[in-house]
């Protein structure tokens, strides 16, 4: 099997599915607004105005059908909600000491991730896991490395009250704090009418903003659309290795309808197996009564327990040390790698795979030594670099890195 271009692989598909940009309308009221990032800061705060229709242009390579399908029925996109969500995402006052926002760890200047090994929250507290990018997170079948949150809405409620991240005590405290910030009342009224400020409307707004954070339009997308010159010969050899000798495609699945390089399943590839006594950890995790999401969320970021991965969610021994297959778009820009940030460069990642991962009792059956030569490993890296979005690169150049407010002693 050898795939060289989208045309060959998807030759039978009809043309309409290869449209470059697809306009999506979520029209609730009258009026039309073309959404762009510059406009989101100034939003109408008039509660009586009809919610604005929202137009989203998808970047090249992303599936419009799936995008539409993944907008929850009870949380349609509106310009007001997206703008409110963006403001919340960047607001440090959502943390207990006003020092950290979502964007501290998901920074547009770092492809909506950060460059630390693990997330660093209030008082410079370290969690045990690497911050993934928020780009395309809306396409995840479940959120987090272990899939413990089913949706972006549920996901966004957790970091705010995680003791190592934003540190608020509980959701009532979060709601009370946002209610105390006077500029928010009219913005929530415009976005949610009578629903007002609740943890659910906060979450819905943040999730709506995240659904505008997309990454496509990469050299690889142009290559798949038929531009043979869009990627180098080395990258083409790398794409072939990705599909064949490297066996990457078996987990980092790619097809036209889900072009994200993930099967969204959980595999133990051995990253967590370094220095772990899984059986002892699992026994201790069970004794923690991790029945509610908040408890699992705290365990997930704790050293040791973190390495149990999917097991924390399912309590199935087969899931010990298993983590969600990462999506690979923009991967060049989001070092270090893996759930614990243990691999510094893409070449380090490939070397890890080349030796067959780290042996342990739960190692995924798909992992085995690959016998790739040094030039072949370089080709794979060249291929991975073709997944970098032109838009992401441009945006990274145009924004200043987020700053962390110094925490009060
Ligand atoms: C202190 C750093 C930090 C802060 C603050 C933070 N995050 Fe994260 N975020 C992380 C880390 C680390 C993970 C992975 C944790 C895990 O999987 O257990 C993550 C995971 C996610 C994911 C899942 C992505 C995926 O591919 O599974 C989303 C979405 C997300 N964060 C959005 C947010 C939002 C929204 C906020 C603010 C309400 C926020 N984050 C605040 C560090 C942070
Ligand atoms: C058996 C399934 C499987 C196979 C085969 C596989 N991967 Fe992965 N990949 C994963 C999982 C699961 C993770 C996350 C693991 C973790 O952090 O513990 C991952 C993580 C990665 C990451 C890190 C992404 C990030 O943002 O941290 C890269 C890069 C990567 N894989 C590339 C590849 C390449 C290239 C190949 C082929 C040589 C490959 N993978 C083969 C399942 C797989």
């Amino acid at each position: 099997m050898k795939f060289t271009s989208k045309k060959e692989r998807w030759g039978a598909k009809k043309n309409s599915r290869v449209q470059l940009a697809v306009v999506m309308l979520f029209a609730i009221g009258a009026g039309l607004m073309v959404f762009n990032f510059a406009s989101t800061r100034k939003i109408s705060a008039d509660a009586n105005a009809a919610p604005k229709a929202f137009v989203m242009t998808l970047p090249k390579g992303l599936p419009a059908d799936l995008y539409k399908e993944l907008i929850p029925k009870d949380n349609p996109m509106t310009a007001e909600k997206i703008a409110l969500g963006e403001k919340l995402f960047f607001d440090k006052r959502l943390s207990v000491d006003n020092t950290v926002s979502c964007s501290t760890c998901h920074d547009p200047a770092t492809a909506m991730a950060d460059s630390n090994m693990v997330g660093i929250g209030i008082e410079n507290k370290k969690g045990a896991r690497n911050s993934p990018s928020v780009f395309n997170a809306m396409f995840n079948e479940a959120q987090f490395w272990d899939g413990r949150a089913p949706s972006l809405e549920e996901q966004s409620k957790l970091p705010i009250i995680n003791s190592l991240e934003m540190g608020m005590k509980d959701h009532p405290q979060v709601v009370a704090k946002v209610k105390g910030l006077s500029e928010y009342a009219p913005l929530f009224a415009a976005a949610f009418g009578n629903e007002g400020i609740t943890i659910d409307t906060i979450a819905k707004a943040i999730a709506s903003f995240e659904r505008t954070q997309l990454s496509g339009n990469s050299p690889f997308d142009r290559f798949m659309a038929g531009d043979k010159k869009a990627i180098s010969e080395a990258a083409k050899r790398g794409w072939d290795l990705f599909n064949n000798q490297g066996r990457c495609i078996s987990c980092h699945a790619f097809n036209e309808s889900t072009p994200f390089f993930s099967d969204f399943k959980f595999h133990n590839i051995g990253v967590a197996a370094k220095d772990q006594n899984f059986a002892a950890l699992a026994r201790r995790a069970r004794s923690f009564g991790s029945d509610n999401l908040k408890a699992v969320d705290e365990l997930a970021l704790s050293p040791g327990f973190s390495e149990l991965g999917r097991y924390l969610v399912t309590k199935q021994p087969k899931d010990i040390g298993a983590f969600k297959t990462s999506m690979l778009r923009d991967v060049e820009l989001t070092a270090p790698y893996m759930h614990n940030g243990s691999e510094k460069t893409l070449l380090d990642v490939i070397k890890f795979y080349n030796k067959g991962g780290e042996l342990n009792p739960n190692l995924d059956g798909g992992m085995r030594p690959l016998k790739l030569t040094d030039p072949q490993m370089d080709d794979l890296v060249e291929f991975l670099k073709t997944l970098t979005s032109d838009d992401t690169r441009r945006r990274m150049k145009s924004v200043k890195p987020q700053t962390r407010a110094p925490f009060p002693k």
Side-chain angles (χ1 to χ4, degrees):
M1 221 174 16
K2 190 165 175 168
F3 307 130
T4 46
S5 77
K6 182 169 185 171
K7 216 170 152 218
E8 282 162 44
R9 198 164 174 207
W10 301 101
K13 296 271 175 171
K14 55 185 189 298
N15 270 337
S16 63
R17 293 183 56 98
V18 199
Q19 282 171 337
L20 303 190
V22 180
V23 176
M24 317 206 46
L25 284 170
F26 297 92
I28 294 169
L32 214 81
M33 171 184 153
V34 176
F35 175 76
N36 64 51
F37 288 103
S39 72
T40 59
R41 301 269 177 203
K42 321 170 219 113
I43 55 173
S44 153
D46 178 359
N48 297 320
K52 297 203 182 55
F54 174 72
V55 182
M56 180 92 196
T57 306
L58 291 199
K60 182 183 292 184
L62 299 201
D65 297 354
L66 185 62
Y67 184 87
K68 202 149 85 186
E69 224 176 276
L70 292 178
I71 307 293
K73 294 275 175 300
D74 67 349
N75 192 21
M77 303 277 274
T78 66
E80 285 80 358
K81 243 189 263 177
I82 293 162
L84 170 59
E86 181 177 17
K87 185 173 163 66
L88 290 164
F89 191 91
F90 287 87
D91 197 335
K92 297 187 177 79
R93 295 170 302 179
L94 258 60
S95 66
V96 70
D97 59 2
N98 307 325
T99 58
V100 165
S101 66
C102 307
S103 65
T104 305
C105 306
H106 303 285
D107 185 345
T110 330
M112 293 306 265
D114 64 30
S115 32
N116 302 316
M117 251 180 100
V118 292
I120 303 176
I122 55 160
E123 298 173 18
N124 289 339
K125 287 181 181 164
K126 284 189 179 171
R129 291 189 183 167
N130 181 260
S131 313
S133 174
V134 160
F135 281 135
N136 296 343
M138 65 164 290
F139 293 102
N140 276 323
E141 283 178 15
Q143 302 297 328
F144 289 122
W145 286 101
D146 51 21
R148 65 187 177 279
S151 64
L152 286 177
E153 280 79 359
E154 292 312 306
Q155 190 284 328
S156 69
K157 295 174 186 172
L158 292 168
I160 310 181
I161 56 166
N162 186 296
S163 62
L164 301 174
E165 296 186 309
M166 298 163 84
M168 297 290 282
K169 184 165 78 62
D170 53 24
H171 288 146
Q173 192 192 44
V174 178
V175 172
K177 190 166 181 189
V178 176
K179 279 185 174 162
L181 304 168
S182 59
E183 78 260 35
Y184 275 111
L187 303 181
F188 275 88
F192 295 102
N194 294 334
E195 272 185 84
I197 302 177
T198 68
I199 195 62
D200 288 321
T201 52
I202 290 171
K204 281 179 172 178
I206 292 176
S208 296
F209 165 65
E210 289 176 310
R211 293 191 177 99
T212 67
Q213 300 301 295
L214 306 176
S215 171
N217 193 24
S218 65
F220 179 75
D221 293 306
R222 291 197 293 280
F223 173 65
M224 288 308 254
D227 177 359
K228 293 251 190 320
K229 295 211 181 77
I231 68 175
S232 68
E233 288 307 314
K236 284 177 202 169
R237 289 192 300 271
W239 174 224
D240 183 51
L241 290 165
F242 192 88
N243 283 290
N244 297 298
Q245 190 179 342
R247 311 164 49 87
C248 317
I249 199 89
S250 64
C251 297
H252 296 280
F254 176 89
N255 60 59
E256 187 191 9
S257 52
T258 44
F260 301 103
F261 301 94
S262 175
D263 56 3
F264 301 114
K265 294 195 171 80
F266 303 87
H267 304 272
N268 174 324
I269 63 170
V271 177
K274 298 167 190 157
D275 319 313
Q276 298 300 333
N277 181 342
F278 280 139
L281 274 174
R283 245 189 332 272
R284 279 177 59 207
R286 278 197 303 275
S287 74
F288 266 81
S290 48
D291 298 331
N292 63 61
L293 201 47
K294 158 94 175 140
V296 176
D297 195 63
E298 293 285 338
L299 277 187
L301 297 193
S302 315
F305 294 117
S306 160
E307 304 307 308
L308 290 168
R310 182 68 175 161
Y311 174 84
L312 284 176
V313 180
T314 63
K315 307 285 157 53
Q316 302 275 318
K318 70 170 174 51
D319 290 330
I320 289 179
F323 291 83
K324 186 172 68 189
T325 305
S326 309
M327 298 192 273
L328 297 178
R329 287 179 179 272
D330 288 338
V331 72
E332 171 188 11
L333 306 172
T334 60
Y337 302 108
M338 303 301 189
H339 72 272
N340 55 4
S342 57
E343 302 294 343
K344 285 202 180 61
T345 67
L346 288 174
L347 188 58
D348 292 336
V349 171
I350 309 281
K351 285 180 177 163
F352 174 85
Y353 282 112
N354 201 32
K355 66 173 184 176
E358 192 85 18
L359 217 56
N360 73 91
N362 294 303
L363 187 70
D364 192 283
M367 296 293 290
R368 63 196 64 169
L370 300 171
K371 301 194 173 79
L372 298 169
T373 63
D374 285 351
Q376 283 179 315
M377 291 199 279
D378 291 338
D379 287 346
L380 262 173
V381 171
E382 282 313 303
F383 160 67
L384 291 174
K385 288 184 179 169
T386 69
L387 305 180
T388 303
S389 159
D390 298 348
D391 306 326
T392 304
R393 228 189 263 286
R394 218 174 293 124
R395 190 166 162 210
M396 277 177 67
K397 283 200 190 117
S398 73
V399 295
K400 285 207 188 77
Q402 294 292 305
T403 50
R404 186 183 293 267
F407 58 90
K409 276 270 180 311

